[in-house]
Amino acid sequence: MTAAASSSPSSPNSPTPTNMLPVLIVGGGPVGLFEALLLTKLGIPVRIIEREYSVSPYSKALGLAARSLEIFRFAGVIDPFLEKGSPITNINFYSAGNYFASMPIVGTPEDTEYCYGLFLEQKATSEILRDDLAKLGVKVDYGWELLDTKVVESGSHDSTYVETTIRRALSGDNTAPGENLVIGIVDQHTEQKDKEYETEVVRSKYMVACDGGRSTVRHKLNIKFPGRTLLSKTFMWDGIAETDILIDGVTVISNPNKPAMHLFPLSHGTIRVQLEAGVMEDGEDLAETTKNLTIDQFEAMARDRVYPATFNIKETSWLTGFRVNERRAEHFVYKNHIFLAGDAAHIHSPAGGQGMNTGLQDAHNLAWKIAFTLQGLVDPELVLPTYAEREPMADRSIEVSSAILQRNQTIGYGSHYMKLAFFSLAPYVLNIFRKFNITPDVAMLKLRYVENYINRPGPSKTQPKDDHQVGIRARCGVIRAIDSTTLSTPSTTNNNKSFRLHELLVGLGRFHILVFASTALNSPTEAKQLAAHLEHYQSAWRGRWTYSGNLNDGFKDEHDLFKISVLTGPYQSTTHDTAGLEMFVAKAAGDGRVYEDIEAKVHAKFGFDGKKGSGGIVVVRPDAHVGYRVEGSQAQAWEEVDRYFSAILVGGKGARL
Ligand SMILES: Cc1cc2nc3c(=O)[nH]c(=O)nc-3n(C[C@H](O)[C@H](O)[C@H](O)COP(=O)(O)OP(=O)(O)OC[C@H]3O[C@@H](n4cnc5c(N)ncnc54)[C@H](O)[C@@H]3O)c2cc1C
């Protein structure tokens, strides 16, 4: 074994904040790649290592949830996903091989632009992210494997760092033969004793461990991974088959006396079949079972489930087996310097397609916190621990997937006929079911973080409803831009000037301040005061806090942390006195844009009445969750928002980079 020279922490070559890598990312799966891309777009230098030599050809995940599409949009990377993926909008239900019903996958259309699941294999998702990263000049260090890591503590946060030993095989690769063919089993890979390696010690300010369910980082740091491994096993096949079963959406085959079978469309005419295969036998080794499973045997099992429909395999690209683990790392934050993300932090059944999506959101939640820390804009000891707000989200994903899995595995006439009843009624009474409908959960549109250092309740006298509390995902809705030429045009949601509120939230490192002005702009006096507050605070905040890196998100000022948008309630130019609004529009305060909340629905989604009162102000965090909200849009409300920023932001100007 060859060891490359490396400096010890106590040597004269000890790293200093200026010669140290800001962030090491371990694992080039979708989560590691997304984290690398986000940090790079936030102007933070990263190194990303991956033990394999390319993106994994095995696509475990096959779909992107609405929330993942939203965050891709905020991050400016959505286009290739929409180009390559296929929106899936329905679930087909079969009783054995007999078609029974189809049910639309419902989102709440006004609340997201993406009312569907986007089917795109994990391989393609990873390749898009890898290519986007390469366009920004960052190449994945393929073939490098993390061996060990520790946090070297030296009294203060700023002088503490992460020391990581990595190696690369000088011949062959880092993987044991066949290791990747069976998925979903948690164990450590075996050391390959007969290989030669070169090793390197990397010192970094922070590390993000995205090294998958078997995470070496998690093992090395002794972070427990409690949960359970289910006794049941699943076989999974990808390939081309001739079948008369409908596969234009997710297809569920239910039998009264056999576990469920699922079919999913993949790209280029291929499909995925997942077969629940009962429980493990005493002493059974799933890797062995999978190795011995022939394509003919799998085909016979599938035919048995779909009879009297047909199923003939033509080509096979992957046949594997897995047991479901439901586990969550005890903590995602280690000494405020190492962060677990993706499968390294949580794993569960693929049912409901939550795994990769949860991981992508981990990455989004963490990136701006690390970037702001390195920019010297926040106190790391107070802001980095808030990444723990992802832990309950992982618990929620485990719960959602576990509930779906349980339904799929339940055998018996009772459960079968319940499913038949549900699927036959659902298309007709969907609105009644909407309340009980799990789709917004699966689509991850109901995420809400706990109150913490960055999610602070305002001084409201009345407790806002759950949906309007801080920590909630910033919701969406239709608005239209108003300017002096369109002020008198009648408002309509179909107007070509109308668009979704989320378009205002595009970007990565900005706070979006949404001023819900309700009727305040009807009065010229109030409109004038609001314009004055807006100008005053915007210039005060810009003077105090700027982002010294380049915020590569398409806005005119790449160093500006604050983007303020004003939304007025609905107005009718024919019946309303628009003098205040005209004055406000003409004044072009702040960014100079005013938007009409055409049906007052967006006000309502944030807990304000768009038709009376003076609305409120909402601070949307850079990852599009509500950080702060206050009632009213005049002096006192602005002072409160100012207090919020003064509490969570410090100095700035790239201090820790
Ligand atoms: C059958 C199946 C279907 C699924 N379907 C869905 C779905 O539809 N939707 C969904 O959201 N999720 C789904 N999932 C889950 C999803 O595949 C995972 O959640 C996702 O792969 C997690 O991504 P990741 O980047 O965290 O980890 P991984 O994809 O596991 O990537 C980790 C990377 O780290 C590398 N690595 C490991 N150890 C080291 C080391 N020591 N040094 C350097 N590199 C290392 C690995 O080689 C790997 O490339 C499914 C899972 C399964 C099993």
Side-chain angles (χ1 to χ4, degrees), residues 31 50-51 60-62 122 146 216 236 343 353 355-357:
V31 177
E50 162 57 51
R51 65 198 281 251
K60 291 182 285 179
L62 39 78
Q122 183 168 325
L146 174 140
T216 314
M236 198 183 86
D343 278 18
M356 180 180 72
N357 288 290

Side-chain angles (χ1 to χ4, degrees), residues 454-459 470-471 617-621 625-630 637 639-645:
I454 50 173
N455 304 322
R456 296 171 176 233
V470 291
I617 305 179
V618 167
V619 177
V620 178
R621 309 175 350 177
H625 278 258
V626 172
Y628 191 72
R629 94 189 267 292
V630 60
E639 281 163 26
E640 294 294 344
V641 175
D642 185 53
R643 265 196 276 281
Y644 171 72
F645 285 129

Side-chain angles (χ1 to χ4, degrees), residues 413-424:
Y413 284 88
S415 118
H416 180 67
Y417 289 112
M418 285 271 288
K419 286 178 200 162
L420 295 193
F422 178 79
F423 272 88
S424 35

Side-chain angles (χ1 to χ4, degrees), residues 198-275:
E198 65 171 316
T199 47
E200 191 186 323
V201 173
V202 180
R203 296 195 174 101
S204 61
K205 205 65 224 149
Y206 301 106
M207 182 226 271
V208 189
C210 310
D211 54 342
R214 304 170 192 198
S215 172
T216 314
V217 174
R218 198 185 58 234
H219 282 280
K220 292 290 172 188
L221 300 177
N222 276 323
I223 300 175
K224 294 202 180 76
F225 202 36
R228 57 180 189 158
T229 303
L230 303 192
L231 277 178
S232 52
K233 60 188 172 202
T234 307
F235 295 129
M236 198 183 86
W237 169 92
D238 288 355
I240 297 177
E242 266 175 14
T243 176
D244 35 21
I245 299 279
L246 269 179
I247 318 173
D248 58 345
V250 174
T251 299
V252 183
I253 315 265
S254 170
N255 275 283
N257 50 6
K258 289 167 199 156
M261 167 170 158
H262 288 84
L263 295 94
F264 308 90
L266 303 177
S267 50
H268 310 300
T270 54
I271 59 172
R272 167 163 297 175
V273 176
Q274 235 168 266
L275 273 177

